[in-house]
Amino acid sequence: MGVSDRPRIGISSCLLGERVRWDGGHKRDSPIVEGLGARVEWMPVCPEVEIGLGTPREPIELRVLNGRATMITVESRRDLTEPMARFARTKIEALAAAGISGYVLKSKSPSCDPDRGLFAQALRERLPDLPIEHEEQLHDPDLQTSFVARARAYRDTHHV
């Protein structure tokens, strides 16, 4: 299988072992990196770093304020909701233009958690048919194979 045959998959950078987490660490996920790495072309993204937050950095939490999800730094209480929303719009358009065919999200992340993360929500809204999984789901080799097949099908129907 040549590089051009591999679907382009967005992934939370920390899952590939990049030291981008708030504490300066990573969350390298060997089952995903080793199980999927040869079958896909990774497109790593770390929303927090890409909106200009350093590593290490102050932790961030999600809160519901006035009925809407808000991303706030834990100590200084800096509201990062709008910078994240602007980043998400721009980055998701760039990923779509680059031919993204799937995405692996980092659970429990304020930006990438599949249920609550602000980047993940924007990704689902903009690309509702995109195959999206979080890292824990993809530890099963059969689910990895299914995910790659869905990503190829997405690529074949959405990208020329």
Side-chain angles (χ1 to χ4, degrees):
M1 173 178 10
V3 171
S4 62
D5 296 334
R6 299 185 304 177
R8 291 182 171 169
I9 304 295
I11 187 169
S12 297
S13 299
C14 60
L15 295 174
L16 294 178
E18 294 182 28
R19 296 186 177 279
V20 294
R21 299 208 14 110
W22 70 273
D23 60 0
H26 64 82
K27 289 288 184 177
R28 186 178 191 279
D29 194 298
S30 295
I32 290 174
V33 173
E34 294 160 16
L36 288 175
R39 296 186 275 174
V40 303
E41 178 185 339
W42 295 123
M43 299 182 77
V45 177
C46 179
E48 288 86 356
V49 168
E50 293 188 48
I51 65 168
L53 301 178
T55 303
R57 62 182 165 270
E58 184 178 354
I60 300 167
E61 64 185 3
L62 292 174
R63 295 277 177 161
V64 176
L65 297 175
N66 301 321
R68 75 185 251 269
T70 308
M71 181 182 270
I72 300 176
T73 57
V74 171
E75 287 123 27
S76 65
R77 310 306 295 162
R78 183 174 156 210
D79 188 338
L80 300 171
T81 309
E82 191 50 40
M84 182 57 68
R86 280 192 308 270
F87 164 77
R89 284 190 297 270
T90 302
K91 186 66 171 189
I92 293 165
E93 289 307 318
L95 290 169
I100 192 171
S101 297
Y103 210 101
V104 181
L105 295 166
K106 172 67 185 101
S107 60
K108 301 179 183 119
S109 159
S111 61
C112 295
D113 183 80
D115 298 319
R116 300 180 51 214
L118 297 186
F119 181 79
Q121 288 177 1
L123 184 65
R124 288 185 193 283
E125 288 171 13
R126 170 61 181 85
L127 302 171
D129 299 329
L130 185 73
I132 299 175
E133 300 289 352
H134 64 80
E135 82 282 11
E136 295 167 359
Q137 293 170 310
L138 291 176
H139 288 176
D140 179 317
D142 291 336
L143 294 178
Q144 289 181 1
T145 299
S146 171
F147 177 70
V148 172
R150 289 185 293 127
R152 283 192 180 119
Y154 181 92
R155 178 194 60 201
D156 293 346
T157 58
H158 290 80
H159 303 299
V160 179

